[in-house]
């Protein structure tokens, strides 16, 4: 029997009992549990095979709900929330004790966001607690952007997958922290840095590796298909690996020397938003083929292209 469905009341019931439910968001599917219930949160780490040092993002229905579990909220937080929520922006804020240390891997800050998906928002509004949810994939693998992707890998480990269609953004949220020096980027994602900069009126910096606030999950190798990925100029790579069975993940071009079934064009019209939306399903598709390796290229490094390139770089790192 399929565990995929659209029954929000059923999902609510399971979550209230401390079970895991996969939920759709605009970025990727999440693997959710009651963020206030340590035993429920522990099940997430087990199902994903996720190391306990890698903390979870907490998803909330409203700013009022977030105010109930964080402290020392800077004024800028409210301005950013107003502009970007619900949406693909995650903010690190000092937590209250009601958030179990397991959720933050013992760190002082909790990562929070209000997702922009009607089903997720309806579910969150119906609950009396927020939801801790990492992406619903086994640790280190490509994130899921459809309910089927979740089922393919976690079917036996979760109670229910709430189907909300394919994710409109297609890659994870942008993670930021706010301190006296302003906003710092910890992970590029669905909200572009340019958008944040134009709201804040300042150039933003990426977190320095020695900064006080760290995002433990941004490892070199992540988002990885099982097949090897090599990044570079596709024409040159085709020559170098002419003796191998190759799949291509290109930004906007088709290559006539390779079977079209072994090619994924992220956006034939050259749209970075479309490329982001297609990236993870493209990687999964190529990973399922009878090929030796995937060759790919960076997309233009502007807007959401920065996040696409970040995921490509990590997917290729071994
Ligand atoms: O779009 C998204 O952010 C998706 C959807 C489901 O909301 N979630 C997601 O979760 O990408 P995950 O667990 O795959 O990635 C969360 C990242 C990890 O790198 C983790 O280390 C970092 O956020 N993180 C979470 N809580 C943190 C905290 N308290 N302090 C520092 N980093 C944190
Ligand atoms: Mg993830």
């Amino acid at each position: 029997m399929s565990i995929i469905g659209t029954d929000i009341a059923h999902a609510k019931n399971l979550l209230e009992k401390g079970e895991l439910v996969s939920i759709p968001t605009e970025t990727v599917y999440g693997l959710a549990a009651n963020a206030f219930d340590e035993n429920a949160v522990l099940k997430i780490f087990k199902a994903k095979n996720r190391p306990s040092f890698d903390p979870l993002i907490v998803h909330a229905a409203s700013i009022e709900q977030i105010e109930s579990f964080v402290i020392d909220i800077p004024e800028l937080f409210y301005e950013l929330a107003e502009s970007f929520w619900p949406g693909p922006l995650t903010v690190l804020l000092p937590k209250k004790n009601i958030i179990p240390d397991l959720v933050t891997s013992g760190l002082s800050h909790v990562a929070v966001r209000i997702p922009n998906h009607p089903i997720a928002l309806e579910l969150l509004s119906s609950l009396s607690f927020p939801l801790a949810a990492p992406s619903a994939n086994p640790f280190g693998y490509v994130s899921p952007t459809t309910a089927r992707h979740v089922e393919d890998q976690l079917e036996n480990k979760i109670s229910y997958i709430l189907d909300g269609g394919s994710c409109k953004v297609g890659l994870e949220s942008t993670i930021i922290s706010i301190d006296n020096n302003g906003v710092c980027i910890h992970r590029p994602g669905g909200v572009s840095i340019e958008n944040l900069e134009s709201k804040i009126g300042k150039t933003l910096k990426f977190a320095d590796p020695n900064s006080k606030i760290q995002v433990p999950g941004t490892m070199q190798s992540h988002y990885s298909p099982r097949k090897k990925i090599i990044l570079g100029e596709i024409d040159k790579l085709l020559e170098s690996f002419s003796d191998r069975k190759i799949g291509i993940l290109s930004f906007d071009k088709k290559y006539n020397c390779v079977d079209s079934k072994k090619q994924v064009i992220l956006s034939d019209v050259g749209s970075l938003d479309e490329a982001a939306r297609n990236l993870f399903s493209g990687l999964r598709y190529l990973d399922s083929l009878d090929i030796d390796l995937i060759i790919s290229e960076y997309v233009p490094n502007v807007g959401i292209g920065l996040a696409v390139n970040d995921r490509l770089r990590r997917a290729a790192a071994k």
Side-chain angles (χ1 to χ4, degrees), residues 25 27-31 48 50 54-57 59 90 92 103-104 107 109-111 113 133-135 137 143 171-173 175 187 213-218:
T25 83
T27 59
V28 300
Y29 274 71
L31 180 56
K48 272 190 66 114
R50 183 178 178 108
D54 192 4
L56 310 177
I57 294 176
H59 299 70
T90 294
L92 294 164
V103 170
T104 62
L107 298 169
H109 287 55
V110 60
R113 85 178 188 101
S135 52
N137 50 282
S143 302
L171 48 72
E172 297 84 351
S173 58
I175 303 181
R187 176 177 75 179
I213 297 178
Q214 290 296 327
V215 171
T218 44

Side-chain angles (χ1 to χ4, degrees), residues 155-289:
E155 190 181 9
N156 303 323
K157 307 212 162 138
I158 54 184
S159 308
Y160 194 54
I161 303 167
L162 203 47
D163 192 349
S166 39
C167 300
K168 294 213 158 60
V169 175
L171 48 72
E172 297 84 351
S173 58
T174 304
I175 303 181
I176 62 166
S177 60
I178 308 173
D179 66 14
N180 297 336
N181 302 320
V183 169
C184 197
I185 314 275
H186 295 267
R187 176 177 75 179
V191 170
S192 72
I193 314 252
E194 292 90 330
N195 259 351
L196 279 168
E197 286 177 340
S198 75
K199 175 71 204 164
I200 297 164
K202 269 197 207 152
T203 312
L204 296 181
K205 283 209 205 79
F206 276 88
D208 134 2
N210 302 316
S211 78
K212 223 168 69 197
I213 297 178
Q214 290 296 327
V215 171
T218 44
M219 286 103 182
Q220 265 307 321
S221 157
H222 217 90
Y223 312 104
S224 307
R226 282 170 289 264
K227 301 231 157 67
K228 189 173 174 56
I229 301 192
I230 300 187
L231 284 165
E233 279 178 49
I234 292 182
D235 281 317
K236 286 196 184 144
L237 293 173
L238 282 169
E239 272 174 42
S240 314
F241 296 100
S242 56
D243 55 334
R244 310 283 291 278
K245 286 192 271 178
I246 278 172
I248 299 179
L249 183 81
S250 86
F251 174 43
D252 56 358
K253 276 194 270 320
K254 193 174 167 189
Y255 292 82
N256 291 331
C257 54
V258 170
D259 178 356
S260 62
K261 289 198 199 68
K262 296 189 174 171
Q263 295 187 52
V264 170
I265 303 168
L266 290 174
S267 171
D268 52 11
V269 295
S271 149
L272 288 169
D273 287 334
E274 187 179 27
R277 202 153 49 236
N278 290 331
L279 176 67
F280 288 148
S281 58
L283 284 172
R284 275 174 192 262
Y285 170 72
L286 291 169
D287 209 18
S288 74
L289 300 179

Side-chain angles (χ1 to χ4, degrees), residues 135-156:
S135 52
N137 50 282
F139 183 69
Y141 195 71
V142 181
S143 302
T145 52
T146 67
R148 263 305 291 280
H149 292 164
V150 182
E151 185 184 36
D152 287 346
Q153 291 186 306
L154 294 176
E155 190 181 9
N156 303 323

